[in-house]
């Protein structure tokens, strides 16, 4: 997203119209009419708190059981432990139902039978009142009348209220991106490191429902970025993947979700909630990449439901399915490792395990079809061995050429079908273990259909006089022709104007800078002009003052910024506009009001103060602003949760990519 600052300050009528127009479009959806998948965070938080309480009771009881030697006490504690474990089981099942309901609620649109995806619920937040801290900063630090900024503060509040319930569409994504950019403007203008706005930001964890709070604006920014990724997962899960266009949109959505979580993991630290910890974000990134890979595989099956019958195409499908299975195995390993396993929903872990088994079985099915139904052409012979991995113990098998005799190929095809059937039966068993997944009829239909297809194929190949034991089928080599790309959120497509741009360009007018307001001073024209040199735009800088000239006599100094000319605010004027106004001044002179940036406090023992203009230029360089200030400037992004803890380290930035 490109933050946009207008170089010319709007008039009162234009500003009012802009605010009314912005307020009319920045509306969230009705939280009750959103979708049936809105999760009651308070209920989930309550269940999670009860689980925590029961775990503490169990830990205490176990310690007492190990410490005591009294038989009666041990018997009593053992009975209490049985009650606690029963309560824990019931509470965990209740939490699984709340967390796992999204798999059923976000079934894709359309009539095609496809495996359901895992969407991520949005983080929820409490209402927030911006008025008190912003008014104090506007009146105290900026020296402006805070009452004249009521409209801007209301617009910011309305925008935040809207992002609490964004629609699950591109409009909802644009709303979240617009608010995120406004947070970047707020951070650049109102937050001076290592301080904060004095607000307490409340957000609920997406995975557990437990509330978290922090005063750092980075927590607000990180939570919004998390919701951008989560909204992409919901959009991807709802696509109709029975058509090429729906599959393409699903792949794109999951890639963007992975990019949002990757961006969050790389730039934010010290997250106060589990869902934004590095381990969780790494797991979510892998999960979205695996789901994108699954959609890519589904797209390969779309031209023909039965898939092409030539050997090369079937082996390519086998390798693509093996690649999906490998991705899901990696995600499952991540989900079962601490600390992720302590709060990731059990239905998610089970569904990922089911998919790993299902796609591995699917790979063996396509390998069997390639062997039995598609005789290889001569040009296919060097390709066939590359699709398989022999047993690890026998290096000769890894390089062996596949059998060319039809009977040998049939036996090897039966071996692959046997592994396919066993894998699909294991997927069905895992599906039946999880109560939340048992209610997902679509998933059961997909697994049962695949099993019946493999059984039917095995029956075709089986013979009554076939007494030879079926050989062990080798593994399928994972390989894909299209690796999912992790795409960062496309901020550049949404242009946003700084709500508080009337305060002036961010290069000067921010809480990170301190300045002194001087004037108005009267400057008359001399024989050689006003005796000063100007440079830059918005605001125009006094680059040099001629000693003994009219400007020096009026008290103007090198490095001053002109903010008012004859009573007209000119913070956003360009160099040519200021020069034109000065040329049109008569003998009465011109009234100027200027601000002088004050140098930052020097650490003890650093020596004398820096020269005026040189010090100003260094200050601007340290703040990330160029001189002269551009008409459109992007605010600096501070991304640490705790700036005190990150002193001495390079501060991360989230810069919207064009």
């Amino acid at each position: 997203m490109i933050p946009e600052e207008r170089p010319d300050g709007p008039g009162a009528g234009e500003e009012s119209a802009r605010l009314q127009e912005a307020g009319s479009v920045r509306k969230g959806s009705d939280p009750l009419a959103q979708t049936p998948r809105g999760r009651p965070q308070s209920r989930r938080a309550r269940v999670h708190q009860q689980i925590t309480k029961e775990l503490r009771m169990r830990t205490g009881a176990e310690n007492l059981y190990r410490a005591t030697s009294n038989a009666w006490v041990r018997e009593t504690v053992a009975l209490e432990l049985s009650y606690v474990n029963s309560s824990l089981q019931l509470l965990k099942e209740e939490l699984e139902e709340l967390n796992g309901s999204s798999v059923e609620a976000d079934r894709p649109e359309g009539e095609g039978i496809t495996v359901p995806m895992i969407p991520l619920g949005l983080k929820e937040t409490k209402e927030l009142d911006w008025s008190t801290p912003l008014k104090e900063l506007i009146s105290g630090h900026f020296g402006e009348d805070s009452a004249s900024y009521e409209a801007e503060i209301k617009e910011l509040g309305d925008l935040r209220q809207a992002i609490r319930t964004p629609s699950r569409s591109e409009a909802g994504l644009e709303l979240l991106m617009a608010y995120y950019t406004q947070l970047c403007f707020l951070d650049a203008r109102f937050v001076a490191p290592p301080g904060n706005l004095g607000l307490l930001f409340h957000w609920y964890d997406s995975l557990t429902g437990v509330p978290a709070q922090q005063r750092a604006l980075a927590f607000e920014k990180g939570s919004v970025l998390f919701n951008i990724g989560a909204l992409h997962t919901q959009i991807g899960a709802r696509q109709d993947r029975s058509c090429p266009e729906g599959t393409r949109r699903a792949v794109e959505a999951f890639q963007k979700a992975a990019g949002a979580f990757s961006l969050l993991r790389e730039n934010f630290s010290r997250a106060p909630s589990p869902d934004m910890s590095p381990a969780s974000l790494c797991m979510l990134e892998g999960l979205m990449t695996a789901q994108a890979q699954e959609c890519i595989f589904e797209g390969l099956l779309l031209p023909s439901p039965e898939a092409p019958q030539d050997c090369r195409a079937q082996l390519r499908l086998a390798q693509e399915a093996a690649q999906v299975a490998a991705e899901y195995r990696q995600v499952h390993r991540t989900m079962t490792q601490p600390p992720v396993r302590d709060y990731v929903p059990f239905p998610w872990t089970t569904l990922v395990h089911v998919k790993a088994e299902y796609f591995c079985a699917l790979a063996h099915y396509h390998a069997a079809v390639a062997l039995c139904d598609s005789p290889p052409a001569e040009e296919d012979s060097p390709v066939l061995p590359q699709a398989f991995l022999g047993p690890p113990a026998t290096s000769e098998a890894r390089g062996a050429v596949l059998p060319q005799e039809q009977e040998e190929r049939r036996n090897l095809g039966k071996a692959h079908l046997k592994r396919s059937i066993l894998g699909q039966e294991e997927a069905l068993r895992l599906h039946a273990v999880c109560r939340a997944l048992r209610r997902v009829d679509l998933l059961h239909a997909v697994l049962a259909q695949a099993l019946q297809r493999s059984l039917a194929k095995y029956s075709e190949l089986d013979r009554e006089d076939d007494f030879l034991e079926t050989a062990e089928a080798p593994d399928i080599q994972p390989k894909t022709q299209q690796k999912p790309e992790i795409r960062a959120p496309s901020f550049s497509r949404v242009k946003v104007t700084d709500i508080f741009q009337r305060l002036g360009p961010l290069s000067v007018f921010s809480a990170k800078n301190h300045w002194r307001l001087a004037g108005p001073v009267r400057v008359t024209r001399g024989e050689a002009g006003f005796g000063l040199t100007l440079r830059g735009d918005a605001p125009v800088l006094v680059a040099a003052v001629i000693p003994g000239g009219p400007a020096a006599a009026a008290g103007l100094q090198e490095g001053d910024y002109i903010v008012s000319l004859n009573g007209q605010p000119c913070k956003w004027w360009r160099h040519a506009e200021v020069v034109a106004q000065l040329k049109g001044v008569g003998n009465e002179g011109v009234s100027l009001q200027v601000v002088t940036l004050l140098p930052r406090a020097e650490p003890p023992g650093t020596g004398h103060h820096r020269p005026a203009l040189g010090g100003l230029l260094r200050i601007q360089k340290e703040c990330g602003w160029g001189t002269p200030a551009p008409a459109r400037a992007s605010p600096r992004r501070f991304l640490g949760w705790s700036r005190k803890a990150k002193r001495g380290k390079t501060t991360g930035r989230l810069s919207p990519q064009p």
Side-chain angles (χ1 to χ4, degrees):
M1 186 182 306
I2 300 178
E4 181 177 339
E5 290 182 336
R6 288 180 289 189
D8 51 341
E14 296 177 356
E15 183 66 16
S16 176
R18 181 183 72 84
L19 295 177
Q20 291 177 4
E21 180 183 358
S24 64
V25 297
R26 288 171 177 171
K27 294 181 180 179
S29 61
D30 183 359
L32 299 179
Q34 169 87 356
T35 56
R37 74 177 306 277
R39 304 180 189 176
Q41 292 280 11
S42 58
R43 183 183 174 193
R44 295 169 63 231
R46 176 183 57 81
V47 173
H48 195 275
Q49 289 170 358
Q50 290 179 348
I51 290 176
T52 303
K53 180 181 177 181
E54 294 290 341
L55 287 173
R56 290 175 179 173
M57 292 178 61
R58 185 174 69 177
T59 301
E62 289 174 347
N63 291 337
L64 179 59
Y65 186 84
R66 287 192 294 265
T68 185
S69 58
N70 187 295
W72 180 83
V73 173
R74 290 173 67 89
E75 183 179 351
T76 304
V77 173
L79 182 62
E80 182 66 25
L81 278 172
S82 65
Y83 285 127
V84 171
N85 288 327
S86 299
S87 299
L88 273 173
Q89 184 64 29
L90 293 174
L91 289 170
K92 287 182 177 180
E93 289 181 358
E94 184 179 356
L95 188 61
E96 289 167 10
E97 291 177 1
L98 293 172
N99 288 330
S101 60
S102 62
V103 176
E104 174 70 11
D106 277 89
R107 68 169 54 196
E109 302 168 349
E111 300 298 330
I113 299 180
T114 52
V115 181
M117 295 293 182
I118 298 178
L120 192 61
L122 300 184
K123 294 171 68 69
E124 296 183 8
T125 182
K126 293 183 178 180
E127 293 185 3
L128 190 66
D129 183 13
W130 296 95
S131 59
T132 301
L134 292 183
K135 285 182 177 179
E136 291 178 354
L137 280 167
I138 290 172
S139 60
H141 186 85
F142 293 87
E144 300 269 358
D145 181 14
S146 60
S148 64
Y149 286 87
E150 291 281 357
E152 283 88 346
I153 295 175
K154 184 179 184 303
E155 181 184 0
L156 178 63
D158 291 343
L159 180 57
R160 190 183 191 275
Q161 185 67 19
I163 63 101
R164 296 178 65 190
T165 55
S167 60
R168 288 198 291 172
S169 63
E170 289 297 322
L173 287 171
E174 291 181 2
L175 189 68
L176 288 169
M177 291 180 180
Y179 179 64
Y180 179 83
T181 302
Q182 292 298 341
L183 292 177
C184 295
F185 279 124
L186 287 175
D187 195 2
R189 187 180 295 279
F190 293 112
V191 180
N196 55 66
L197 290 174
L199 288 169
L200 196 60
F201 300 99
H202 294 262
W203 286 86
Y204 290 92
D205 188 274
S206 175
L207 300 177
T208 65
V210 174
Q213 57 188 23
Q214 200 171 69
R215 295 190 181 276
L217 188 63
F219 181 40
E220 179 88 351
K221 292 165 64 178
S223 299
V224 174
L225 184 56
F226 183 94
N227 277 358
I228 290 174
L231 193 54
H232 275 299
T233 70
Q234 296 180 15
I235 293 174
R238 296 178 65 234
Q239 298 301 320
D240 179 12
R241 306 197 306 277
S242 61
C243 64
E245 181 61 23
T247 303
R248 184 193 63 79
R249 288 196 299 264
V251 171
E252 184 178 348
F254 287 125
Q255 289 179 148
K256 290 181 178 179
F261 297 135
S262 175
L263 200 62
L264 190 60
R265 176 177 56 83
E266 293 172 356
N267 292 279
F268 284 74
S269 60
R270 302 179 181 274
S273 57
D275 56 0
M276 290 196 292
S277 66
S280 293
L281 294 172
C282 184
M283 179 271 294
L284 292 173
E285 182 183 343
L287 175 61
M288 298 311 144
T289 303
Q291 294 190 144
Q293 190 74 65
E294 178 182 350
C295 294
I296 291 172
F297 172 76
E298 290 175 338
L300 296 176
L301 297 177
L302 289 178
S304 173
E306 300 298 328
Q309 294 299 312
D310 62 281
C311 185
R312 183 187 293 268
Q314 287 290 349
L315 286 178
R316 184 180 298 115
L317 290 176
Q319 290 186 298
E320 290 282 353
Q323 179 68 34
V324 178
E327 297 278 357
Y328 276 118
R329 285 196 194 98
Q330 180 61 39
V331 176
H332 184 259
R333 283 194 293 268
T334 306
M335 285 183 169
T336 54
Q337 296 296 320
V340 177
R341 69 181 181 189
D342 298 330
Y343 43 78
V344 69
F346 179 68
W348 290 15
T349 307
T350 306
L351 181 56
V352 167
H353 197 181
V354 167
K355 287 191 174 188
E357 295 293 337
Y358 166 72
F359 283 102
C360 181
L362 209 56
H364 286 286
Y365 172 80
H366 285 290
V369 172
L371 288 166
C372 301
D373 295 350
S374 308
E378 292 183 2
E379 62 271 15
D380 290 336
S381 56
V383 177
L384 296 181
Q386 300 176 10
F388 300 95
L389 288 176
T394 58
S395 57
E396 296 180 359
R398 285 199 295 269
V401 178
L402 292 179
Q404 298 298 311
E405 296 294 332
Q406 185 62 31
E407 186 64 21
E408 294 179 356
R409 292 169 61 82
R410 185 185 70 85
N411 289 334
L412 186 56
K414 283 183 61 178
H416 281 288
L417 281 175
K418 182 178 178 181
R419 289 194 63 177
S420 176
I421 292 170
L422 292 176
Q424 287 154 359
E425 288 177 343
E426 177 64 12
L428 279 170
R429 185 192 69 80
L430 293 170
H431 170 267
V433 166
C434 181
R435 187 170 68 175
L437 290 184
R438 285 201 300 267
R439 296 196 302 270
V440 184
D441 299 331
L442 185 62
L443 177 60
H444 183 272
V446 172
L447 299 177
Q449 185 184 71
L451 178 59
Q452 291 301 320
R453 183 176 60 178
S454 296
L455 288 172
K457 191 67 177 176
Y458 191 86
S459 299
E460 292 178 9
L461 300 177
D462 197 23
R463 299 173 181 173
E464 293 183 0
D465 58 348
D466 192 356
F467 300 108
L468 296 177
E469 183 178 355
T470 304
E472 181 69 21
D475 294 333
I476 308 297
Q477 170 70 50
K479 184 180 179 181
T480 180
Q481 302 295 324
Q482 181 182 347
K483 189 73 174 175
E485 300 177 3
I486 297 179
R487 299 181 181 178
S490 182
F491 291 101
S492 59
R493 62 188 179 86
V494 181
K495 296 187 182 296
V496 179
T497 302
D498 180 13
I499 291 178
F500 295 94
Q501 58 91 30
R502 281 202 296 139
L503 288 171
L506 280 166
S507 57
V508 177
F509 301 98
S510 71
K512 300 176 180 65
N513 295 329
H514 294 274
W515 61 85
R516 180 179 63 250
L517 182 65
V521 296
R522 177 68 60 176
V523 184
T524 58
R525 186 192 302 272
E527 295 181 359
F530 291 101
L532 53 81
T533 303
L534 304 180
R535 63 178 298 182
D537 296 324
V540 174
L541 173 73
V542 178
V545 176
I546 299 176
L556 296 183
Q557 299 178 7
E558 185 182 274
D560 287 345
Y561 287 100
I562 302 176
V563 296
S564 176
L565 194 153
N566 284 336
Q568 301 181 51
C570 60
K571 295 177 181 178
W572 289 100
W573 286 13
R574 293 185 174 89
H575 179 271
E577 295 177 275
V578 175
V579 171
Q581 288 288 330
L582 292 177
K583 285 182 177 181
V585 171
N587 296 329
E588 69 277 7
V590 63
S591 176
L592 298 178
Q593 195 171 21
V594 298
V595 297
T596 302
L597 282 181
L598 302 177
R600 294 179 178 178
E602 294 285 352
T606 55
H608 60 277
H609 293 289
R610 291 172 285 189
L613 180 58
L616 292 174
L617 297 178
R618 290 192 186 96
I619 289 173
Q620 295 180 49
K621 184 177 180 181
E622 292 169 4
C623 292
W625 313 116
T627 301
R632 295 180 179 178
S634 299
R636 187 184 185 187
R637 273 73 166 161
F638 289 97
L639 300 181
W641 299 111
S642 173
R643 295 193 179 98
K644 292 181 179 179
K646 297 185 78 64
R647 285 178 181 172
K649 298 182 181 180
T650 302
T651 306
R653 291 179 175 82
L654 264 185
S655 298
Q657 298 296 323

